[in-house]
Amino acid sequence: MSEPAKILAVDDEPDFELLIKQRFRQRIRKGDLTFRFARHGGEALAVLAEEPDIGLLLLDINMPVMDGLTLLSELRVRGSPARAVIVSAYGDMANIRTAMNRGAFDFVTKPVDLNDLEVTIDKTLETIAYVRGLDQQRADAERARANLARYFSPNIVDLLAESDEPLGPVRRQTVAVLFVDIVGFTRMAEAMTPEAVVGMLRDFHERMAARIFACGGTIEKYIGDEIFAVFGLPSASPHDALNALRCASMILKELEAWNRARAEKGDLALAVGIGLNYGPAVLGDVGSEHSLSFTVIGDTVNVASRLQGLTRELKTPLVVGDAVVQQIGAGALPVALQDQGERELRGRSGAIRIWTLR
């Protein structure tokens, strides 16, 4: 059952309150309408402070303490969302224009035609409901956009919010892929409380996500302490490999700053492993009609994951596939890399040339 519409009648004539209660008694009993009453603008402001969900005011002009026109001005200053219908014997054009300029929604003259008043009330309540619906839609959209912004770069958020099928059909596309995780996280987590583990992960994810988004990347998924990011969504760019390598450099610099802050608190320093690759992948939605997830799959992704694992064996924070270097050009690399020759990767036939930090 919907909540009754709340109306505040502001009039210093006692007969007006009796008139309203008599006219709308059936709708009050049914729970369609709820009325509150005030004798002047000052009382009205007190009532609104206690019941801010009041949507409609029936407002006389000539009242003691604070008249109706002054109350309209005060409501505007306070940013009140309530709508006001003037119900007054002062129906000359000057008062009507003043009331409308100060935000009144409509005007009913006294002596009151009760049928006209009821029609005006219903029309105003419909408008209030419509505006509240728009406000709710806007709030929902802003909340959805804020949630999207936690996982996607700003350009992707705008695309997701504005299009029904923003990332298009399943397709093959060249992208840069980055995997980053915390070295020794499992062993570290064994000695920590669950709350401390979650707190550290949140801090890690927030810091790394900020660097990824700053470079135009998109977080495909979080896998425990691991982050899987893609550069080249929704459209591929010749700069995707460069952006991904620049992101890797920013992540390492952010880690240095974080470790200094951790040291000041007496926490142990953290190390990360980053695997970076560039090449073709398949992009699209996977799952059922009830639970879809956008994903990026293919050999390029698998190789990037294996390169991340190779950081442990080589004792380096960054391992980069040769395709990244070839796309950027060895003379334009944003970080100094060293050619480590070809390496066999677990679970993959054929060697791949790799580069590490010099």
Side-chain angles (χ1 to χ4, degrees):
M1 181 177 178
S2 60
E3 291 292 324
K6 300 183 72 171
I7 302 172
L8 172 59
V10 189
D11 197 306
D12 62 329
E13 297 179 10
D15 290 346
F16 186 71
E17 179 175 341
L18 295 174
L19 187 69
I20 291 293
K21 289 180 176 178
Q22 179 64 24
R23 172 67 185 191
F24 295 99
R25 64 187 184 281
Q26 293 184 354
R27 296 182 66 175
I28 293 172
R29 289 172 185 167
K30 287 174 59 179
D32 292 342
L33 303 175
T34 296
F35 284 90
R36 300 289 184 266
F37 298 91
R39 300 301 182 190
H40 52 74
E43 284 187 6
L45 291 175
V47 174
L48 289 172
E50 293 179 359
E51 301 182 62
D53 57 337
I54 291 175
L56 171 60
L57 279 71
L58 303 179
L59 186 57
D60 192 11
I61 289 181
N62 188 25
M63 295 180 293
V65 183
M66 181 186 291
D67 62 67
L69 297 179
T70 302
L71 176 57
L72 282 174
S73 297
E74 186 64 26
L75 292 174
R76 172 175 281 187
V77 169
R78 298 186 181 199
S80 172
R83 299 281 179 137
V85 172
I86 299 297
V87 183
S88 175
Y90 295 87
D92 57 279
M93 186 56 67
N95 275 320
I96 292 175
R97 286 185 58 82
T98 301
M100 292 304 179
N101 288 336
R102 296 186 185 186
F105 181 77
D106 210 333
F107 202 108
V108 175
T109 58
K110 292 180 179 179
V112 177
D113 180 330
L114 292 175
N115 289 326
D116 180 44
L117 177 62
E118 186 164 8
V119 169
T120 302
I121 287 175
D122 288 337
K123 179 185 67 176
T124 309
L125 291 176
E126 287 177 4
T127 301
I128 291 170
Y130 177 72
V131 172
R132 284 179 173 175
L134 292 179
D135 289 341
Q136 184 60 52
Q137 291 177 20
R138 188 179 300 109
D140 292 343
E142 290 175 354
R143 183 171 61 253
R145 182 181 287 267
N147 287 333
L148 289 172
R150 297 171 61 193
Y151 303 97
F152 300 98
S153 58
N155 60 318
I156 298 294
V157 171
D158 292 339
L159 197 64
L160 290 170
E162 296 169 2
S163 175
D164 292 332
E165 193 178 5
L167 300 178
V170 174
R171 64 193 184 279
R172 187 180 179 90
Q173 184 171 305
T174 301
V175 295
V177 179
L178 181 150
F179 282 88
V180 56
D181 73 349
I182 300 174
V183 176
F185 173 76
T186 301
R187 189 182 316 108
M188 186 184 309
E190 290 177 353
M192 300 170 63
T193 65
E195 293 79 7
V197 172
V198 172
M200 183 179 72
L201 276 181
R202 285 178 175 171
D203 204 355
F204 175 68
H205 287 159
E206 288 178 2
R207 290 172 179 270
M208 300 304 106
R211 306 285 82 76
I212 291 168
F213 295 161
C215 295
T218 294
I219 295 177
E220 207 273 359
K221 63 172 62 75
Y222 293 106
I223 312 168
D225 65 309
E226 182 178 75
I227 302 174
F228 169 18
V230 181
F231 298 78
L233 290 177
S235 302
S237 160
H239 307 297
D240 293 332
L242 176 62
N243 289 338
L245 184 56
R246 184 179 291 118
C247 178
S249 176
M250 291 174 63
I251 284 175
L252 295 177
K253 290 178 181 177
E254 176 63 26
L255 182 66
E256 291 179 5
W258 188 23
N259 277 332
R260 286 194 295 270
R262 288 177 60 84
E264 292 176 358
K265 297 188 298 182
D267 295 331
L268 295 175
L270 300 177
V272 298
I274 304 172
L276 189 57
N277 197 27
Y278 181 75
V282 176
L283 291 65
D285 292 328
V286 296
S288 69
E289 60 177 323
H290 301 293
S291 178
L292 283 175
S293 173
F294 187 84
T295 192
V296 181
I297 57 177
D299 183 61
T300 298
V301 177
N302 296 337
V303 167
S305 180
R306 295 291 186 269
L307 294 179
Q308 182 203 52
L310 198 58
T311 60
R312 274 65 162 174
E313 178 182 336
L314 299 179
K315 294 181 172 51
T316 180
L318 175 63
V319 177
V320 180
D322 185 60
V324 175
V325 177
Q326 296 305 316
Q327 174 63 19
I328 300 172
L333 298 175
V335 294
L337 298 179
Q338 182 174 348
D339 186 355
Q340 298 289 355
E342 293 193 342
R343 296 291 295 250
E344 297 284 345
L345 300 179
R346 178 174 56 85
R348 185 180 187 277
S349 60
I352 179 174
R353 185 180 182 188
I354 65 169
W355 299 69
T356 61
L357 282 178
R358 182 171 297 174

